[in-house]
Amino acid sequence: MPATTEPLIVHEHDVEAVPLPGGGSFLLLEDGRGTAGLLGVNRLVLPAGADGTRPHHHTLSTEVFHVLDGVMEFLVGGTVTRVGRGGLVVVPPGAIHAFGASAEGPAGFLAVLTPGVERFAYFRQLGRIARGEAGWESMDGLHDESDVHFDGGPDWR
């Protein structure tokens, strides 16, 4: 991938919000296009006790999570760990991980994926599924192109 030569600035009014049930949302900040594939960035806000994803791994990218609000629960290395506001989780390629908000209250994080993979279509479709507007089979094909490979069912905690 060619390196970007221009700085990237994303203003709040340019951020796409994908609504999720219970007041959650994906905030789509950068999916690699504006950085020539260097990184992708999104923010996820989840209501209390909501899962963000089931166990999965990425073959190409490292994923970095910075908890901004509340307490998140992360499955990494076969262990569920609670990470509060200000905490950081770094997941290298191939490491199986999952995450969700703790039962105590809503939580959210900033996620950085490097190198960046174009994943906005993936997050939009997850939003449709979560809102009952589409079925899980609508994700066929999106998993591989988004470098998301599932390693277990939804019951991880």
Side-chain angles (χ1 to χ4, degrees):
M1 287 179 220
T4 182
T5 58
E6 297 296 322
L8 174 70
I9 297 173
V10 179
H11 296 279
E12 183 179 16
H13 62 269
D14 294 325
V15 175
E16 179 182 350
V18 176
L20 298 171
S25 65
F26 286 114
L27 300 176
L28 308 180
L29 297 162
E30 167 55 36
D31 72 349
R33 295 177 199 193
T35 64
L38 293 177
L39 56 86
V41 184
N42 65 74
R43 180 168 184 205
L44 179 60
V45 177
L46 294 170
D51 281 346
T53 186
R54 62 187 186 179
H56 67 284
H57 71 277
H58 308 290
T59 58
L60 304 173
S61 300
T62 295
E63 195 162 20
V64 179
F65 302 95
H66 180 227
V67 179
L68 300 173
D69 301 297
V71 176
M72 294 291 299
E73 294 179 352
F74 288 89
L75 170 70
V76 181
T79 301
V80 176
T81 302
R82 294 168 53 87
V83 181
R85 184 174 155 266
L88 183 76
V89 176
V90 179
V91 181
I96 297 171
H97 60 289
F99 48 80
S102 74
E104 290 87 49
F109 61 73
L110 183 73
V112 178
L113 193 73
T114 182
V117 176
E118 293 182 17
R119 296 172 76 195
F120 283 4
Y122 185 85
F123 292 131
R124 289 180 190 114
Q125 193 60 22
L126 283 178
R128 290 181 195 101
I129 292 168
R131 294 188 306 272
E133 299 167 6
W136 188 251
E137 71 283 351
S138 67
M139 295 298 286
D140 291 351
L142 285 176
H143 297 298
D144 285 339
E145 71 183 55
S146 300
D147 189 30
V148 178
H149 311 282
F150 288 107
D151 298 294
D155 298 324
W156 57 272
R157 356 180 212 182

